Amino acid sequence: MSGQPGQMRLHWSPRSPFVRKVMIAAHELGLADRIGTVRTRVSMTEPNDEILADNPIGKIPTLVLADGTVLYDSGVICEYLDALAGGTLFPREGPARWTALRRHALGTGFLDMLILWRYERARAAPHPGVLEGFEGKAAATLAALETEAPALGHDGFTIGHVALGCALGYLDFRFAELGWRDGRPALAAWAEGFAARPSVRAVPVMDD
Amino acid sequence: MSGQPGQMRLHWSPRSPFVRKVMIAAHELGLADRIGTVRTRVSMTEPNDEILADNPIGKIPTLVLADGTVLYDSGVICEYLDALAGGTLFPREGPARWTALRRHALGTGFLDMLILWRYERARAAPHPGVLEGFEGKAAATLAALETEAPALGHDGFTIGHVALGCALGYLDFRFAELGWRDGRPALAAWAEGFAARPSVRAVPVMDD
């Protein structure tokens, strides 16, 4: 527990890409110092009573405010932090908002899929059709992102950018062998710019 | 394809609880007539090129607006419809918003878990520890909802209510043997009121 009284408390892990999204948003918004982190281990098989008490789904990140209010999932936490700081990660309305939220859903949906893909690969008897399904959807997602990359570079910096950047960072971390940059120069260039932001450099992808 | 020119087009299935959430929201908001539905079959193993062209993650619901703009996931679609109709499913700000969004995340997270649990049960060699993990989290979630049920009945009707009601409907549909109402009278009573709403009755849980 590294929080202080009155601070927010975040169920945290250095390996979760969803926690990383929240911490990058916090750095973008100048709020990182107000968030104390609690190292919380979650797994498909080992119950963790500490997280279940705050979030019965048992997922991280989960944020506990100073008054005891609990917030999840990662998208809700990010929107709360953006409102708290008066930020611009979540455009307030109109097409800019729907584009940012659609990109955020694409990034988080991609991450959900990659995490399930990784579980499947690690099973004693992986299902070949399921593995093939993940491979096809990952290729479709990367193709769509290559098409969208030029627009990403011109649309400011929203929660959609954070989510997509975290998904690409997770690919580098857990699926390096995919070589996702091959044949996708626009997306690779965008990811390079993302990785160079101070908020992103402040929250490196890391193992324990 | 049951849409008309100028209408919105929704990738739809009668069995998806996430599609059901969108359709209940559309009925609440008086927008159901403006949404044409396309029967879209998705699976972990069979690629569906039609949905991948609109949403590379390959998930339903996915909404295509009259101008070709694509929106996903279900939460983003619901918020778009709420804004279009000037509705109150998404409180605009403050604690009411964070409570609604946290409940929405609880309902959708519960559904994600139940769907994975169902896949796991159907495998040739289910992982006992994974099955046990799902069972423990489902029990924790239902206990938390029993505690929250009285507040649910007094907090208006938001996207959080829709998501939680759809999760309980999915329990009845796919996990009837859990007997989730046993020992949870407050939640059972709330679910009864939910099921009686015209918007919910208009979108029954059904198989093909």
Side-chain angles (χ1 to χ4, degrees):
Chain A
M1 177 76 195
S2 61
Q4 292 163 19
Q7 282 198 316
M8 296 176 272
R9 184 166 57 88
L10 184 73
H11 288 285
W12 175 93
S13 150
R15 292 180 295 190
S16 161
F18 297 105
V19 167
R20 186 167 185 248
K21 186 177 69 179
V22 166
M23 291 307 300
I24 290 172
H27 279 278
E28 285 283 336
L29 297 164
L31 292 174
D33 290 347
R34 292 184 53 188
I35 298 175
T37 55
V38 194
R39 177 72 167 96
T40 302
R41 287 167 207 279
V42 299
S43 92
M44 297 278 277
T45 53
E46 300 290 330
N48 176 330
D49 291 340
E50 201 194 352
I51 184 71
L52 289 181
D54 285 331
N55 176 353
I57 298 290
K59 283 195 166 180
I60 56 171
T62 292
L63 184 69
V64 185
L65 305 186
D67 69 1
T69 300
V70 177
L71 294 178
Y72 47 80
D73 56 11
S74 63
V76 178
I77 295 171
C78 289
E79 187 171 340
Y80 171 79
L81 295 177
D82 194 52
L84 188 64
T88 56
L89 292 177
F90 287 77
R92 295 280 295 174
E93 56 190 3
R97 180 169 182 89
W98 313 124
T99 298
L101 294 186
R102 196 259 308 153
R103 285 174 176 158
H104 176 258
L106 181 57
T108 56
F110 195 19
L111 278 170
D112 282 333
M113 182 177 77
L114 292 171
I115 288 166
L116 290 179
W117 190 3
R118 185 160 171 264
Y119 278 126
E120 190 67 32
R121 292 197 306 188
R123 290 187 81 112
H127 188 303
V130 169
L131 292 177
E132 226 173 279
F134 285 137
E135 200 176 341
K137 285 179 221 165
T141 302
L142 287 166
L145 289 177
E146 176 67 10
T147 302
E148 191 159 1
L152 280 176
H154 292 95
D155 284 356
F157 190 78
T158 71
I159 197 63
H161 296 77
V162 180
L164 292 171
C166 287
L168 296 175
Y170 188 77
L171 276 178
D172 283 331
F173 181 41
R174 297 293 195 193
F175 291 84
E177 76 285 0
L178 281 187
W180 66 265
R181 288 174 181 78
D182 298 347
R184 300 186 186 102
L187 187 59
W190 177 78
E192 201 175 335
F194 177 81
R197 291 181 80 90
S199 63
V200 177
R201 293 168 58 97
V203 190
V205 179
M206 58 180 174
D207 217 322
D208 274 314
Chain B
M1 175 73 195
S2 61
Q4 291 163 21
Q7 282 198 314
M8 296 177 270
R9 183 166 56 89
L10 183 74
H11 288 285
W12 176 93
S13 150
R15 290 179 296 190
S16 161
F18 297 106
V19 167
R20 186 166 185 249
K21 186 177 68 178
V22 166
M23 291 308 299
I24 289 172
H27 279 278
E28 284 285 335
L29 297 164
L31 291 174
D33 289 348
R34 293 183 53 186
I35 298 174
T37 55
V38 195
R39 177 72 168 96
T40 302
R41 287 166 207 280
V42 299
S43 93
M44 296 278 277
T45 53
E46 299 289 330
N48 176 330
D49 290 341
E50 202 193 351
I51 184 71
L52 289 181
D54 285 331
N55 176 353
I57 299 291
K59 284 197 166 178
I60 56 171
T62 292
L63 184 69
V64 185
L65 306 185
D67 70 358
T69 299
V70 178
L71 294 180
Y72 47 79
D73 53 14
S74 63
V76 178
I77 295 171
C78 289
E79 187 171 339
Y80 171 78
L81 295 177
D82 194 54
L84 187 63
T88 56
L89 291 178
F90 288 77
R92 298 279 296 172
E93 57 191 4
R97 181 171 181 87
W98 311 124
T99 298
L101 293 186
R102 196 258 309 153
R103 287 174 176 160
H104 176 259
L106 181 58
T108 56
F110 195 18
L111 278 170
D112 282 334
M113 183 178 77
L114 291 171
I115 288 166
L116 289 178
W117 190 2
R118 187 161 171 263
Y119 277 126
E120 190 66 33
R121 293 197 305 186
R123 291 187 79 113
H127 188 302
V130 169
L131 291 178
E132 223 172 285
F134 286 137
E135 201 176 339
K137 285 179 221 166
T141 302
L142 288 166
L145 289 176
E146 176 68 9
T147 302
E148 190 158 3
L152 279 177
H154 292 96
D155 284 358
F157 190 78
T158 71
I159 197 62
H161 297 76
V162 181
L164 291 171
C166 288
L168 296 175
Y170 187 78
L171 275 179
D172 283 331
F173 182 40
R174 298 293 196 192
F175 290 84
E177 76 285 0
L178 280 188
W180 66 265
R181 288 174 182 79
D182 298 347
R184 299 185 187 103
L187 188 59
W190 178 78
E192 201 176 335
F194 176 80
R197 290 181 81 88
S199 64
V200 177
R201 294 167 57 96
V203 191
V205 178
M206 59 182 174
D207 217 321
D208 272 315

